Amino acid sequence: MGRINILDASWLAVESEETSMHVGNLQILSLPPNASKTYLRDEIQRLKTAFDVVKPWNQKLAYPSFLGKLLAPTWVEDKDIDLDYHVRHSALPKPGGERELGILVSRLHSNHVDFKRPLWEFHIIEGLENNRYAIYTKMHHSLIDGISGVRLLQRILSTDPNEREMLAPWSVGPKKKPKGVATGHTPTIQDVFYHAIDAIKEQANNTPQLVSALSRLVLSGIKGRDELAAPFVGPQSVLNMRVKAQRRIATQQYSLDRLKKLAKDADASLNDIVLYLSGSALRRFLLERDCLPQQALTAGIPVNIRPADDDGTGTAISFMISSLATNVADPIKRLETIKESTHIAKEHLQSLPRNTLNQYTMLMMSPYILQLLTGLGGRMRPAFNVTISNVPGPKETLYYNGAKLEAMYPISLIAHGGALNITCLSYGESLNFGYTGCRDTLPSMQNLAVYSGEALEELDALISKKAKTGKAKTRKAKK
Ligand SMILES: CCCCC/C=C\C/C=C\CCCCCCCC(=O)SCCNC(=O)CCNC(=O)[C@H](O)C(C)(C)COP(=O)(O)OP(=O)(O)OC[C@H]1O[C@@H](n2cnc3c(N)ncnc32)[C@H](O)[C@@H]1OP(=O)(O)O
Ligand SMILES: CCCCCCCCCCCCCCCCO
């Protein structure tokens, strides 16, 4: 892997005692038919003694020199990885339901990874009712994002329920690269300089487009000149103070087909529906606490900028910003406002050439990164009020050594000035929401999940009614 890219380096830079920058994945599996009593213990033993450990699982950080430390660390291979440390076995207290699992995973997600070792942990959790168990995997965001995570997962798991003797997750290599493609190398000090020079050269070549896109963002923020939601224009809210180290997680599952049908009927994108459900739940949640800002909350939405054929690691995301229309009481008008806002944000992002997206992202996010580095995060206007991320996951049912993957939920990160992250990840027929929040800011965060379910019922009913009224009017007009 060697040189670390600027986006990945940013996640490392803003890591702090209160803001760990790892992400996670919670999977629920059913035990294979006829699993022995020692199935999980045996499985863990097998995983801990895996012979090969490949990227990204064997990568640890190194600071090649004093100068390297100033610029960025590099990735080196840990040739003596201690799997007994990384692979953990836990059990749930009775009755071993979703509640007990949520409490345990909230605690596991609150702990930092060890920065002297490869930046991941793998937990097998037994004692989940109805013959099931769970896997919680944690990895630093500098090594993985939602899209690379899904691609990795698809290589590890199988669509064949009868496949056995499967490799440990950390032994599954990337797909073979075509000949002639450069692979990672041991980093040298020159790499650090070349990295900086490349970045400056690339930036100079693309300056006109970048300046134009950033000016539009800045002007829309200052003058409210167009409907493009800009960073640092969202209102202050209880979600945008400083956060503490402990996390709380909540989950929610919906039928993907139901949401897609609703999106079609409402002439919206699936992502608009995700934003609508999250914004509507937040509106109700904050209204009940008498702290809904008058101005609409904004969402920071990670956008995948990874090429379709890339199965590498690290981060390849940009951000767009959309209004959540939390100041609009009428549900249909709220959805229309969100649709308009995401339409403009997408068109803005698409106006940029692909090779400028990393620089654009860094320039857009750097004031926030600076806030975080200088301790001002959560003490000034937030970059956006809440992060809402939508990750397309595997469509097929997946298995590991005969154990069926029943469900999986994304668990993400938060930072000062943004106490809540909502990420959804599809799997098969379902869209699975993971809420990650600051434990102290959001004591009743599960309500957000409940309210988003109720917002869905309400919108479903309104859109069906609208469709029926429309049809009735057409029939009448025909007569
Ligand atoms: C046992 C071994 C264990 C090992 C575990 C190893 C690794 C862990 C595994 C997984 C890790 C997950 C960890 C989660 C970490 C979270 C951290 C992050 O969040 S990083 C940021 C990630 N986010 C992204 O990269 C964003 C990606 N999304 C996009 O870019 C989106 O496209 C969008 C910009 C948000 C929205 O785009 P658009 O407006 O164009 O979307 P539409 O709604 O119009 O959709 C277009 C098209 O796609 C379909 N769609 C949309 N969303 C989904 C979805 N979630 N699932 C399925 N399909 C989806 C939609 O229906 C449209 O389709 P069609 O055109 O056919 O109608
Ligand atoms: C890709 C740019 C890197 C930005 C670096 C750190 C800023 C921290 C912001 C945290 C809020 C965003 C969380 C998004 C998580 C999903 O990717």
Side-chain angles (χ1 to χ4, degrees):
M1 205 174 280
R3 286 190 315 197
I4 190 163
N5 89 38
I6 184 100
L7 296 182
D8 298 346
S10 308
W11 302 109
L12 291 165
V14 301
E15 172 92 22
S16 74
E17 204 176 312
E18 297 89 11
T19 61
S20 45
M21 290 287 139
H22 54 259
V23 292
N25 183 233
L26 174 62
Q27 303 175 321
I28 297 182
L29 298 100
S30 47
L31 286 161
N34 312 321
S36 72
K37 277 205 168 127
T38 58
Y39 174 83
L40 285 177
R41 211 174 59 206
D42 300 344
E43 192 66 0
I44 288 167
Q45 201 45 36
R46 190 180 72 84
L47 294 175
K48 280 184 177 181
T49 48
F51 193 66
D52 278 331
V53 181
V54 301
K55 287 174 187 171
W57 310 89
N58 63 3
Q59 299 293 297
K60 68 177 182 182
L61 290 167
Y63 294 90
S65 72
F66 171 67
L67 195 56
K69 192 159 195 164
L70 273 183
L71 294 171
T74 53
W75 293 114
V76 293
E77 183 182 335
D78 185 343
K79 295 209 167 90
D80 191 23
I81 187 167
D82 180 1
L83 287 177
D84 197 37
Y85 168 84
H86 292 274
V87 183
R88 318 272 179 93
H89 191 176
S90 305
L92 293 176
K94 287 200 163 95
E98 261 67 11
R99 184 167 182 277
E100 287 73 29
L101 180 63
I103 293 171
L104 175 64
V105 176
S106 299
R107 293 194 173 141
L108 296 176
H109 200 64
S110 301
N111 301 328
H112 289 258
V113 290
D114 183 345
F115 278 83
K116 294 276 189 295
R117 303 169 189 267
L119 311 180
W120 61 275
E121 290 169 14
F122 181 87
H123 298 255
I124 290 202
I125 302 165
E126 67 174 39
L128 188 59
E129 62 191 358
N130 300 327
N131 235 18
R132 297 170 306 159
Y133 69 102
I135 297 178
Y136 159 71
T137 313
K138 165 199 287 195
M139 197 175 263
H140 202 270
H141 207 346
S142 53
L143 279 172
I144 204 156
D145 63 21
I147 300 290
S148 55
V150 165
R151 291 181 189 167
L152 180 62
L153 193 76
Q154 282 172 313
R155 297 199 299 275
I156 294 168
L157 301 177
S158 169
T159 50
D160 179 0
N162 298 316
E163 191 173 338
R164 297 292 186 276
E165 305 293 319
M166 288 174 63
L167 290 174
W170 27 95
S171 301
V172 178
K175 275 196 224 135
K176 285 220 162 48
K177 292 255 185 252
K179 275 192 184 154
V181 174
T183 51
H185 62 289
T186 312
T188 64
I189 188 67
Q190 283 95 330
D191 287 341
V192 178
F193 288 113
Y194 290 144
H195 188 293
I197 291 166
D198 285 352
I200 293 167
K201 273 201 310 212
E202 212 179 310
Q203 192 151 334
N205 290 341
N206 296 310
T207 301
Q209 286 108 319
L210 280 173
V211 169
S212 142
L214 285 160
S215 320
R216 187 169 164 213
L217 263 191
V218 172
L219 287 175
S220 66
I222 296 172
K223 300 185 182 165
R225 204 180 64 162
D226 62 18
E227 296 302 317
L228 177 66
F232 304 100
V233 299
Q236 260 300 358
S237 82
V238 289
L239 300 174
N240 306 110
M241 311 295 178
R242 293 189 66 79
V243 299
K244 294 193 181 147
Q246 300 304 313
R247 299 289 165 264
R248 196 180 287 282
I249 64 158
T251 56
Q252 173 76 290
Q253 186 173 61
Y254 296 113
S255 147
L256 187 58
D257 273 352
R258 178 180 181 192
L259 297 186
K260 280 187 175 177
K261 180 176 180 308
L262 177 61
K264 191 164 170 259
D265 292 348
D267 195 21
S269 73
L270 180 62
N271 197 50
D272 292 336
I273 300 295
V274 166
L275 296 174
Y276 172 85
L277 298 181
S278 307
S280 302
L282 273 168
R283 175 182 153 83
R284 180 168 160 198
F285 187 85
L286 296 176
L287 262 178
E288 279 179 0
R289 281 156 191 75
D290 206 17
C291 57
L292 178 72
Q294 280 191 346
Q295 196 190 329
L297 295 181
T298 58
I301 306 166
V303 178
N304 173 37
I305 53 172
R306 195 178 287 279
D309 59 350
D310 176 288
D311 69 351
T313 53
T315 329
I317 51 180
S318 187
F319 281 85
M320 63 182 193
I321 298 177
S322 163
S323 165
L324 287 176
T326 44
N327 55 345
V328 181
D330 179 83
I332 298 287
K333 284 195 189 130
R334 195 179 318 134
L335 178 62
E336 291 306 320
T337 313
I338 291 173
K339 275 165 58 178
E340 194 181 340
S341 185
T342 55
H343 177 78
I344 294 168
K346 264 163 81 173
E347 165 261 302
H348 175 70
L349 209 55
Q350 279 159 3
S351 71
L352 277 161
R354 207 181 170 83
N355 64 349
T356 60
L357 286 174
N358 269 5
Q359 295 155 71
Y360 169 80
T361 308
M362 281 316 292
L363 289 168
M364 177 171 91
M365 293 297 280
S366 54
Y368 186 33
I369 296 175
L370 272 178
Q371 275 186 14
L372 296 173
L373 293 179
T374 52
L376 290 171
R379 297 194 166 106
M380 299 175 77
R381 265 193 178 234
F384 33 76
N385 296 103
V386 54
T387 306
I388 304 183
S389 183
N390 172 19
V391 186
K395 292 191 174 79
E396 312 85 7
T397 304
L398 295 172
Y399 300 83
Y400 188 70
N401 270 343
K404 181 179 176 195
L405 179 62
E406 302 282 355
M408 65 170 169
Y409 298 93
I411 308 179
S412 193
L413 53 81
I414 59 170
H416 290 303
L420 175 66
N421 175 304
I422 304 176
T423 296
C424 61
L425 171 65
S426 56
Y427 169 53
E429 315 262 283
S430 59
L431 188 62
N432 306 288
F433 282 67
Y435 295 78
T436 309
C438 168
R439 180 184 170 89
D440 300 76
T441 314
L442 292 159
S444 41
M445 198 176 69
Q446 184 66 39
N447 282 351
L448 278 173
V450 175
Y451 295 169
S452 84
E454 290 173 14
L456 173 60
E457 296 294 334
E458 181 186 47
L459 186 65
D460 243 348
L462 288 168
I463 295 290
S464 316
K465 196 169 147 199
K466 210 173 150 195
K468 276 186 198 140
T469 320
K471 272 186 196 153
K473 274 191 186 150
T474 320
R475 271 200 304 272
K476 223 172 171 183
K478 275 186 183 161
K479 279 181 194 167

